[in-house]
């Protein structure tokens, strides 16, 4: 799994951090998403997919590779 | 309970899209059909009153998913078509182009219709903002406008006022409450919203209501306030609330007293669910059923409904969240600011434009409010009291 974030669309809600804090963090000054782990291990994939759906700006998506 | 062969969704915005995505993610292989009144593929509404209105974003940035991802979903899109009648016994939805669509499970996600001012003439230059097309119409008319009046200072009205000021317009903001965003934040924090708009040159008329829209040759020219006060206007935007889009459900037998009445699992009738702005459900922190008109509510309800369509019986117990971006300020609220809550600043300083406030009711923290403090307000979620039943959705 490869995680991609769009910092222009991000609205700094932090829903991604709540869903998967191992993968996402927020910048202190404006709350914009920081990607900690662009290729998270399988045990975090469900949490990342949850973050994709919870993001209130549709600013996260994943690419699956076989 | 058996899993339905097919799912019909009425409403092609984020709630409807998320139901479809969540169903597929859980392995659902049945047919999913989404009917949407607007001709557009699903797009996000929050940027409309901000980046789209000011023109800082190209319009295509608001689409929720790219064409390729939508294709992977395997959804039949029925767009530019309005759901017109529900027959829950025959399990069909009739559309305005004469189709009769059967369903195994139905999700009602038809959202809201902006409220107009009752008894007022139909004048050119009077706008509401709900859809992309509404926004582009307003944006076009703002180009030649000098004086803009925004009626209603909730989240939407405040954002429109901020956008119009950013575009250099002379802006007047009118609201019956004593401060802007009083209904969302309470009066104490609403005073900071008032100060922000005044610092940006917005003229505020609070504690008052528009009595008349005045026109010349069929076009808006001014609004009237009580006491013969007249405010001239080239464009008026009505942002004084919305009505749930449920007229198409008249005669269906559903409870339609302010939205679609649902149980705690978001079921409105056997195999009929509602999500998003239109759904009223018994919120755990109060005795009354209510609706939440927020972006994250639509998504989180959609996740619960998808699970329930697949045979779960999940209750919807959210920690509500909303945000608003106005000028360079981001206001974020986790939790519920109850009617009797008092708010106090616990970190930072409103005069410096960055703080964290807590709403407390009966000794319990019911909400955390951030003002240009996104990380601070997110971490303050842990302070929310369990006594208010504001427990997490990942139950």
């Amino acid at each position: 799994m490869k995680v991609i974030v769009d910092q222009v669309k991000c609205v700094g809600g932090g829903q991604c951090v709540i869903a998967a804090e191992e993968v996402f963090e927020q910048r202190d000054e404006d709350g914009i998403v920081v990607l900690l782990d662009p290729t998270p291990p399988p045990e975090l994939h469900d949490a990342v997919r949850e973050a994709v759906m919870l993001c209130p700006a549709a600013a996260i998506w994943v690419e699956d590779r076989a | 309970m058996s899993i339905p062969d097919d799912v019909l969704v009425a409403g092609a915005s984020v709630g409807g899209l998320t139901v479809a995505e969540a169903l597929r993610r859980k392995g659902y292989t049945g047919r999913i059909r989404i009917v949407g009144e607007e001709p557009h593929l699903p797009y996000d509404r929050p940027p409309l009153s901000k980046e789209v209105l000011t023109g800082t974003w190209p319009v295509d940035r608001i689409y929720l998913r790219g064409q390729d991802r939508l294709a992977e979903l395997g959804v039949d899109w029925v767009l530019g078509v309005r759901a017109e009648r529900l027959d829950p016994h025959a399990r069909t939805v009739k559309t305005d182009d004469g189709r009769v669509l059967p369903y195994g499970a139905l999700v009602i996600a038809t959202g809201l219709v902006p409220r107009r001012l009752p008894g007022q003439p139909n004048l050119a230059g009077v706008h509401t903002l709900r859809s992309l097309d509404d926004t582009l119409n307003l944006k076009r008319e703002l180009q030649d406008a000098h004086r803009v009046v925004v009626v209603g200072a909730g989240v939407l009205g405040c954002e429109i006022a901020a956008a119009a000021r950013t575009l250099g317009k002379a802006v007047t903001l009118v609201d019956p409450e004593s401060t802007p965003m009083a209904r969302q934040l309470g009066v104490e924090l609403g005073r900071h919203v008032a100060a922000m708009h005044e610092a940006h040159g917005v003229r505020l008329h609070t504690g008052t209501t528009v009595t008349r829209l005045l026109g010349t040759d069929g076009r808006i020219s001014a609004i009237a306030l009580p006491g013969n006060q007249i405010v001239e206007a080239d464009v008026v935007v009505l942002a004084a609330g919305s009505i749930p889009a449920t007229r198409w459900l008249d005669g269906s037998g559903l409870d339609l007293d302010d939205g679609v009445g649902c149980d705690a699992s978001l079921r409105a009738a056997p195999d009929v669910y509602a999500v998003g702005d239109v759904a009223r459900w018994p919120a755990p922190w109060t005795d009354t059923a209510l609706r939440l008109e927020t972006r994250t509510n639509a998504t989180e309800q959609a996740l619960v409904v998808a699970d329930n369509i697949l045979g779960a019986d999940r209750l919807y117990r959210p920690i509500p969240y909303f945000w608003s971006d106005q000028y360079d300020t981001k206001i974020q609220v986790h939790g519920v600011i109850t009617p009797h809550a008092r708010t106090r600043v616990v970190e930072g300083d409103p005069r410096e434009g960055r703080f964290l406030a807590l709403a407390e009711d009966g000794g319990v923290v019911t909400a955390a409010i951030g003002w240009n403090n996104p990380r601070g307000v997110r971490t303050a979620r842990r302070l929310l009291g369990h006594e208010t039943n504001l427990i997490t959705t990942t139950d």
Side-chain angles (χ1 to χ4, degrees):
Chain A
M1 172 186 278
K2 186 181 172 200
V3 184
I4 298 158
V5 297
D6 184 338
Q7 292 183 322
V8 175
K9 289 181 82 169
C10 174
V11 293
Q15 277 78 12
C16 54
V17 187
I18 295 165
E21 61 181 6
E22 301 88 345
V23 181
F24 304 101
E25 180 48 287
Q26 289 177 277
R27 292 201 297 237
D28 191 49
E29 64 273 25
D30 57 8
I32 298 301
V33 61
V34 176
L35 189 56
L36 300 176
D37 186 355
T39 53
E43 62 269 25
L44 293 177
H45 287 188
D46 263 357
V48 170
R49 285 180 209 285
E50 191 85 358
V52 169
M53 287 206 274
L54 290 174
C55 173
I60 309 168
W61 62 98
V62 296
E63 284 173 3
D64 287 298
R65 293 197 196 127
Chain B
M1 188 181 147
S2 64
I3 292 171
D5 292 335
D6 67 288
V7 176
L8 177 63
V9 182
S13 196
V14 69
L17 172 69
T18 305
V19 169
E21 289 191 332
L23 286 169
R24 292 295 188 231
R25 186 183 151 205
K26 301 265 171 167
Y28 182 69
T29 55
R31 175 183 201 168
I32 303 176
R33 204 156 22 182
I34 302 185
V35 179
E37 181 174 2
E38 294 181 55
H40 310 289
L41 285 167
Y43 62 86
D44 217 2
R45 296 189 195 278
L48 295 179
S49 51
K50 313 176 186 75
E51 293 87 354
V52 177
L53 196 53
T54 56
T56 49
W57 278 15
V59 167
D60 62 7
R61 192 173 285 162
I62 69 171
Y63 287 94
L64 285 162
R65 303 289 182 258
Q67 294 277 1
D68 48 339
R69 304 206 72 85
L70 287 180
E72 284 169 22
L73 258 188
V75 165
D76 295 340
W77 297 95
V78 186
L79 299 177
V81 169
R82 200 171 62 237
E84 219 169 42
R85 211 167 78 83
L86 164 65
D87 184 338
H89 305 292
R91 292 172 167 259
T92 57
V93 169
K94 194 171 164 242
T95 61
D96 66 344
D97 63 348
R99 273 184 262 195
V100 177
L101 306 174
Y103 64 82
L106 172 68
V107 180
I108 297 166
T110 41
L112 303 173
V113 182
R115 200 186 291 276
R116 310 288 303 196
L117 294 185
Q120 294 301 313
N122 217 347
L123 296 168
V126 178
H127 292 256
T128 56
L129 194 161
R130 171 73 183 170
S131 68
L132 173 58
D133 294 351
D134 293 343
T135 310
L136 296 178
N137 285 337
L138 174 58
K139 185 177 176 228
R140 196 175 311 119
E141 279 220 338
L142 281 179
Q143 282 175 0
D144 299 320
H146 299 290
R147 298 156 304 182
V148 178
V149 173
V150 181
V151 181
V155 171
L156 183 65
C158 283
E159 290 185 350
I160 293 168
R165 268 312 288 151
T166 303
L167 292 169
K169 311 302 171 188
V171 177
T172 302
L173 185 55
V174 185
D175 195 275
E177 301 286 336
S178 62
T179 74
M181 290 182 72
R183 286 172 302 278
Q184 291 79 27
L185 297 177
V187 168
E188 290 157 317
L189 293 175
R191 287 195 196 104
H192 299 306
V193 182
M196 170 176 65
H197 281 280
E198 283 175 334
H200 281 89
V202 171
R203 270 160 301 176
L204 286 177
H205 287 274
T206 50
T208 191
T209 51
V210 173
T211 53
R212 280 170 67 207
L213 300 178
L214 306 173
T216 309
D217 300 329
R219 196 181 162 82
I220 188 78
S221 59
I223 59 149
L225 300 171
N228 294 322
Q229 251 196 101
I230 303 290
V231 179
E232 294 185 332
D234 306 312
V235 165
V236 168
V237 188
L238 304 177
S242 300
I243 300 161
T246 57
R247 268 188 63 180
W248 68 283
L249 296 165
D250 283 350
S252 65
L254 296 184
D255 165 11
L256 300 177
D257 179 21
D258 183 36
V260 178
C262 297
D263 68 13
S265 302
L266 302 172
R267 259 186 214 94
D271 295 311
V272 178
Y273 304 82
V275 302
D277 300 335
V278 79
R280 176 168 45 85
W281 100 113
W285 59 85
T286 165
D287 296 333
T288 52
L290 51 80
R291 299 182 298 106
L292 293 177
E293 297 180 358
T294 69
R295 171 65 169 77
T296 53
N297 177 62
T299 320
E300 292 176 7
Q301 288 189 331
L303 298 180
V304 170
V305 163
D307 281 350
N308 290 346
I309 288 172
L310 298 178
D313 193 21
R314 269 182 71 188
L315 307 178
Y316 181 56
R317 300 170 71 84
I319 296 178
Y321 170 79
F322 76 90
W323 85 98
S324 178
D325 294 328
Q326 299 168 32
Y327 312 103
D328 294 328
T329 294
K330 183 181 288 294
I331 302 166
Q332 296 169 298
V333 179
H334 292 270
V336 179
I337 304 176
T338 52
H340 301 293
R342 294 299 309 266
T343 53
R344 65 186 172 96
V345 174
V346 295
E347 196 186 296
D349 186 343
R351 283 166 300 187
E352 285 161 18
R354 180 172 169 112
F355 63 88
L356 171 69
L358 297 177
E360 290 162 318
D361 189 350
V364 175
V365 177
T366 64
I369 305 104
W371 188 288
N372 285 327
N373 194 359
R375 278 190 87 236
V377 73
R378 195 234 323 140
T379 51
R381 264 169 62 113
R382 71 186 189 293
L383 303 174
L384 299 180
H386 284 242
E387 293 86 344
T388 50
N389 278 319
L390 291 171
I391 58 169
T392 74
T393 49
T394 49
D395 50 0

